[in-house]
């Protein structure tokens, strides 16, 4: 796939950091209109109390309304394992279409079995308005955007390129953060390396926006870098590190990592497009905890 990055199109990107999950959500405004996209929104959960709230999403909604923007797309870069999506909640208030990579169906099939979902759980991606294939384009106002398949962290990971800005999900972290794990079901370290190379093949000046940042070594939280900076300084793949070196490092490192704190609720919600599991006959909704399945 050849992506034509138009470095002359410079969308206005507003980041919203969620300290509870170290996630950055984005409002991306088309420079030629009042149209925008929202990338990787967050729904708040107090997991211990089983309580859902929407403070983070409400902040984004308030910003969009204040700026007089029109939401055309709600983009999920992948099925997140560390936070719950607020896309349906925002869609209800602001409109827009919810989009994710077509391999969401692979994720739904895998985790539908892990969570013992019944036949009523559709595994065809129909919970989303659009399933993106590698190289698909879509419009945000006057701006043509591209979806680039970048699996490895999950099978459904996509990098979304909007003008001179690319939203990489968990494919990359900031240069001093390296890369995301590749040991979830459907993940693969070699595939992740190949996907990172696709991102690093974009023009050097391309702005890259991260989905997460953890402030390594106590530095302030940051979420924007460039292809050139990642190629030169990324501690996992920069400076010409080989595929074999990356696979060896990533595999060994992943063995030391604990499961994300919110993986169990996140996967059940996010594979449904951000909707909660359906209510039982009494009207109550429940999240399952599979024993020894992850």
């Amino acid at each position: 796939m050849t992506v034509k990055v138009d470095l002359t199109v410079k969308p206005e990107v507003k980041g919203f950091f969620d300290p509870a999950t170290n996630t950055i959500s984005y409002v991306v405004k088309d420079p030629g209109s009042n149209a925008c996209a929202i990338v990787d929104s967050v729904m708040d959960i107090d997991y211990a109390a089983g309580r859902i709230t929407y403070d983070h999403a409400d902040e984004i909604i308030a910003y969009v309304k204040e700026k007089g923007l029109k939401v055309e797309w709600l983009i999920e870069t992948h099925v997140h394992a560390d936070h719950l999506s607020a896309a349906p909640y925002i869609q209800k208030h602001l409109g827009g279409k919810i989009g994710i990579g077509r391999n969401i169906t692979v994720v739904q099939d895998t985790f539908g079995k892990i969570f013992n979902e019944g036949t009523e759980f559709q595994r065809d991606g129909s919970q989303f308005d659009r399933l993106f294939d590698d190289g698909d384009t879509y419009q945000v106002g006057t701006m043509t955007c591209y979806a680039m398949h970048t699996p490895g962290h999950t099978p459904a990971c996509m990098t979304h390129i909007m003008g001179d800005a690319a939203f990489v999900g968990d494919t990359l972290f900031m240069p001093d953060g390296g890369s995301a794990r590749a040991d979830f079901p459907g993940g693969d370290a070699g595939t992740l390396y190949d996907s990172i190379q696709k991102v690093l093949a974009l023009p050097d000046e391309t702005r890259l926006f991260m989905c997460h940042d953890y402030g390594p070594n106590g530095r302030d939280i940051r979420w924007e870098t460039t292809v050139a900076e990642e190629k030169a300084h990324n501690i996992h793949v920069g400076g010409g590190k080989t595929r074999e070196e990356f696979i060896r490092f990533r595999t060994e490192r992943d063995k030391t990592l604990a499961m994300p704190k919110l993986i169990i609720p996140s996967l059940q919600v996010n594979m449904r497009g951000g909707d909660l599991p359906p209510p039982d006959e009494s009207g109550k909704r429940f999240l399952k905890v599979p024993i020894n399945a992850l």
Side-chain angles (χ1 to χ4, degrees):
M1 184 198 99
T2 301
V3 173
K4 297 179 180 178
V5 178
D6 189 347
L7 296 173
T8 67
V9 177
K10 301 182 183 298
E12 179 182 323
V13 180
K14 171 69 172 176
F16 295 82
F17 179 69
D18 175 46
T21 63
N22 287 81
T23 303
I24 304 96
S25 307
Y26 298 98
V27 176
V28 189
K29 180 188 175 297
D30 169 32
S33 71
N34 70 338
C36 73
I38 296 173
V39 180
D40 289 337
S41 60
V42 174
M43 177 168 64
D44 306 305
I45 182 171
D46 181 340
Y47 193 25
R51 185 173 297 111
I52 296 291
T53 53
Y54 297 95
D55 293 348
H56 187 79
D58 285 339
E59 183 182 358
I60 292 174
I61 291 169
Y63 175 84
V64 169
K65 289 182 175 179
E66 176 190 347
K67 298 296 183 181
L69 304 180
K70 177 187 177 186
V71 175
E72 297 193 342
W73 285 96
L74 296 147
I75 298 295
E76 298 292 326
T77 56
H78 62 294
V79 175
H80 309 277
D82 43 23
H83 74 266
L84 286 66
S85 169
Y89 177 81
I90 295 175
Q91 184 183 52
K92 183 175 70 174
H93 287 80
L94 299 175
K97 296 178 180 179
I98 302 174
I100 198 168
R102 183 168 298 280
N103 276 2
I104 177 63
T105 57
V106 177
V107 177
Q108 289 175 327
D109 185 59
T110 298
F111 288 103
K113 294 173 182 175
I114 288 175
F115 289 106
N116 195 30
E117 299 292 348
T119 55
E120 67 277 6
F121 172 58
Q122 297 299 309
R123 295 159 168 84
D124 58 1
S126 56
Q127 300 88 342
F128 300 83
D129 299 309
R130 172 82 180 268
L131 302 183
F132 294 108
D133 289 306
D134 190 36
D136 276 357
T137 63
Y138 57 99
Q139 294 295 128
V140 175
T142 65
M143 183 169 55
T144 300
C145 306
Y146 296 85
M148 182 167 69
H149 190 209
T150 48
H153 175 61
T154 80
C157 287
M158 306 288 286
T159 291
H160 286 265
I161 301 160
M162 306 181 189
D164 74 335
F167 299 85
V168 301
D170 285 4
T171 301
L172 273 173
F173 291 159
M174 293 295 291
D176 59 349
S179 62
R181 64 197 301 164
D183 62 332
F184 293 150
D188 181 81
T191 302
L192 179 59
Y193 180 88
D194 296 339
S195 293
I196 290 171
Q197 299 312 305
K198 291 173 67 174
V199 174
L200 299 184
L202 299 173
D204 281 354
E205 306 95 314
T206 306
R207 293 183 289 161
L208 301 181
F209 292 90
M210 310 296 112
C211 185
H212 295 286
D213 188 66
Y214 300 93
N217 301 312
R219 70 150 166 77
D220 291 341
I221 297 296
R222 294 177 55 221
W223 51 74
E224 179 181 348
T225 183
T226 65
V227 168
E229 289 177 2
E230 291 281 16
K231 284 198 295 191
H233 303 299
N234 186 283
I235 59 173
H236 293 174
V237 296
K241 290 186 176 63
T242 68
R243 191 176 193 269
E244 291 71 24
E245 288 173 324
F246 178 81
I247 292 173
R248 184 168 56 252
F249 165 81
R250 187 71 266 171
T251 302
E252 290 302 314
R253 180 173 175 80
D254 287 349
K255 291 177 182 177
T256 71
L257 300 177
M259 282 287 111
K261 290 184 296 183
L262 295 179
I263 187 171
I264 287 175
S266 295
L267 291 174
Q268 290 176 79
V269 169
N270 295 338
M271 69 183 183
R272 290 179 163 88
D275 284 324
L276 297 170
D280 67 5
E281 61 276 3
S282 71
K284 295 179 181 179
R285 299 176 188 268
F286 295 89
L287 293 164
K288 301 175 182 177
V289 180
I291 305 301
N292 295 332
L294 290 175

